Amino acid sequence: MKKHSARVAPLSACNSPVLTLTKVEGEERPRDSPGPAEAQAPAGVEAGGRASRRCWTCSPAQLKKVFWGVAVALCVCSSWAGSTQLAKLTFGKFDAPFTLTWFATNWNFLFFPLYYVGHVCKSTEKQSVKQRYRECCRFFGDNGLTLKVFFTKAAPFGVLWTLTNYLYLHAIKKINTTDVSVLFCCNKAFVFLLSWIVLRDRFMGVRIVAAILAIAGIVMMTYADGFHSHSVIGIALVVASASMSALYKVLFKLLLGSAKFGEAALFLSILGVFNILFITCIPIILYFTKVEYWSSFDDIPWGNLCGFSVLLLTFNIVLNFGIAVTYPTLMSLGIVLSVPVNAVVDHYTSQIVFNGVRVIAIIIIGLGFLLLLLPEEWDVWLIKLLTRLKVRKKEEPAEGGADLSSGPHSKNRRARPSFAR
């Protein structure tokens, strides 16, 4: 069977990243090389004294990835913004954020079955469900998925998954969806800070700047509504949700490393099983204590609940497995694009006030998110680009001077034969 070399980390239901948000943990895919033009330009300068003029070219495979990236980014944007707006609409008739979280998380059980359908359709060497399951279980160790492994390596992530989604949905009840979606983008900054502290990842000054921008945006967003208790609680809930999401990602990389597509699908399905077995009791308790109460099951907006769950499942599928067809950075851009979409919807459906402070806060957080998408070698690439432009500017005057100086000589050469005659 042909095995995938790319390994991904299952992201939380509200992750960006761009998981990353979708970020590829333990990335094994080779980074795009600078290309033949970049590699040969310095040699040309050293040998001949001037660099050869080469234009940036894209292979058909790269163009295909870019086109797929645009499609995936639009899918991430629409599913994420759609699920957020549908959750806001659902709370108008069904004020039960934890029950909604529990209901949507149950759909995670479909991850592995959907993955197996894709495996049967695309793989040349097809395996049975049992064989594929056993192979994916090696992700948990030589003994596979034992009861001990379930409670030590799966259960904690199930709790973090539930907290991330519940805090996010509860925040939607308090503040508008634009603020919720833009504040959740700060989770990428939290991932960097935790990775730097816990995983000893490479220090990058630009990412520290991005983290500072994220924190400044949170403060400005709080100030935009005048520090009202209702708004402060909602913002605190979103920040807590982003923190849980970041903790989920960092702990996954620390404890489990990275996972192939089948292993990631199995892991997410196990989270759905954990939710059914151990979280089901909490909505029941909340119902009988009337914390989250509804008069009858006929009053539940099943269409909204199922629509929200389908959109959230679609978002997670695309974010976790979109790396197979495109670049992670393009997928993460879909999370940022959801912010203006939510802003447009809020402008026409709610009484949100886009004052100067709120707009600046949104721009600052968005800028911080984009800075975090820069690759680790961005400074090397920038130096190479500036060096190339500098060399090219020096070449143009030199070539122009050479043409002018050769002009009279060439005219004399042409004129001498005519005089001879």
Side-chain angles (χ1 to χ4, degrees):
M1 190 187 104
K2 184 179 178 181
K3 295 186 178 179
H4 297 282
S5 61
R7 299 175 74 87
V8 300
L11 305 178
S12 121
C14 293
N15 284 357
S16 64
V18 322
L19 294 312
T20 154
L21 131 153
T22 207
K23 179 182 179 180
V24 179
E25 307 289 356
E27 186 171 342
E28 296 182 3
R29 297 169 63 91
R31 292 187 176 90
D32 295 333
S33 60
E38 257 184 34
Q40 295 174 10
V45 173
E46 293 176 3
R50 75 178 194 181
S52 59
R53 293 186 177 181
R54 296 177 184 272
C55 60
W56 292 92
T57 58
C58 291
S59 64
Q62 289 174 327
L63 287 175
K64 184 178 179 181
K65 272 198 168 187
V66 171
F67 290 141
W68 270 110
V70 173
V72 168
L74 292 176
C75 186
V76 169
C77 172
S78 57
S79 59
W80 184 232
S83 62
T84 302
Q85 292 294 333
L86 198 55
K88 187 78 171 181
L89 184 64
T90 302
F91 291 143
K93 303 176 181 178
F94 184 70
D95 189 8
F98 194 94
T99 304
L100 181 58
T101 301
W102 169 83
F103 183 80
T105 306
N106 288 338
W107 290 57
N108 278 14
F109 179 78
L110 297 174
F111 268 98
F112 189 74
L114 291 174
Y115 163 77
Y116 182 75
V117 170
H119 162 74
V120 171
C121 294
K122 298 207 69 174
S123 179
T124 54
E125 299 180 9
K126 298 176 175 57
Q127 294 178 313
S128 65
V129 177
K130 190 175 182 180
Q131 289 174 331
R132 196 72 196 132
Y133 170 78
R134 286 181 175 177
E135 185 171 333
C136 293
C137 277
R138 295 176 187 172
F139 170 67
F140 297 100
D142 296 334
N143 297 326
L145 183 62
T146 61
L147 196 62
K148 180 182 178 181
V149 169
F150 179 82
F151 283 105
T152 57
K153 293 187 177 181
F157 294 101
V159 174
L160 288 174
W161 179 288
T162 301
L163 287 175
T164 299
N165 287 273
Y166 170 68
L167 293 170
Y168 185 89
L169 292 177
H170 197 64
I172 293 176
K173 290 177 52 182
K174 301 289 184 180
I175 56 178
N176 58 76
T177 57
T178 302
D179 293 353
V180 172
S181 59
V182 73
L183 286 169
F184 192 81
C185 290
C186 295
N187 85 311
K188 201 168 186 65
F190 298 158
V191 169
F192 163 69
L193 293 174
L194 284 174
S195 299
W196 178 41
I197 296 170
V198 179
L199 302 177
R200 307 295 182 185
D201 280 2
R202 176 187 171 189
F203 173 82
M204 291 182 63
V206 68
R207 293 186 179 178
I208 289 291
V209 173
I212 294 173
L213 290 176
I215 295 171
I218 293 171
V219 175
M220 292 186 68
M221 191 67 74
T222 308
Y223 177 76
D225 287 332
F227 292 97
H228 296 303
S229 60
H230 200 69
S231 176
V232 171
I233 292 173
I235 292 172
L237 289 171
V238 184
V239 173
S241 174
S243 302
M244 292 297 104
S245 172
L247 185 61
Y248 176 101
K249 293 181 181 180
V250 174
L251 283 180
F252 188 94
K253 189 173 182 180
L254 179 66
L255 300 178
L256 298 174
S258 57
K260 296 179 182 178
F261 294 119
E263 296 166 350
L266 177 61
F267 184 83
L268 292 168
S269 291
I270 290 171
L271 294 187
V273 173
F274 172 82
N275 185 74
I276 295 171
L277 296 178
F278 298 99
I279 306 296
T280 304
C281 59
I282 298 179
I284 296 174
I285 294 173
L286 294 176
Y287 174 79
F288 285 106
T289 56
K290 295 190 176 181
V291 175
E292 293 186 357
Y293 181 79
W294 54 94
S295 56
S296 66
F297 284 92
D298 294 334
D299 296 332
I300 298 177
W302 292 107
N304 290 351
L305 264 66
C306 293
F308 170 78
S309 302
V310 169
L311 287 175
L312 202 56
L313 181 66
T314 303
F315 170 78
N316 281 285
I317 289 174
V318 175
L319 201 63
N320 279 280
F321 307 121
I323 184 62
V325 294
T326 187
Y327 303 104
T329 301
L330 294 177
M331 294 191 300
S332 298
L333 289 177
I335 306 260
V336 181
L337 292 175
S338 68
V339 176
V341 172
N342 283 321
V344 171
V345 176
D346 283 347
H347 177 71
Y348 289 103
T349 60
S350 63
Q351 297 180 352
I352 183 174
V353 178
F354 287 100
N355 52 29
V357 177
R358 175 175 271 110
V359 173
I360 293 173
I362 293 173
I363 293 174
I364 287 176
I365 294 175
L367 179 60
F369 187 92
L370 294 176
L371 287 177
L372 288 166
L373 295 181
L374 290 175
E376 292 185 358
E377 299 84 2
W378 72 274
D379 50 346
V380 178
W381 294 353
L382 181 61
I383 291 172
K384 287 183 178 181
L385 178 62
L386 293 175
T387 303
R388 175 176 296 183
L389 293 175
K390 187 177 179 180
V391 171
R392 184 170 294 178
K393 285 182 180 179
K394 288 182 178 179
E395 286 179 6
E396 291 175 356
E399 290 178 359
D403 294 339
L404 290 175
S405 61
S406 61
H409 294 289
S410 60
K411 288 180 180 178
N412 291 337
R413 293 191 191 100
R414 289 193 297 268
R416 284 173 184 172
S418 60
F419 287 136
R421 290 174 187 173

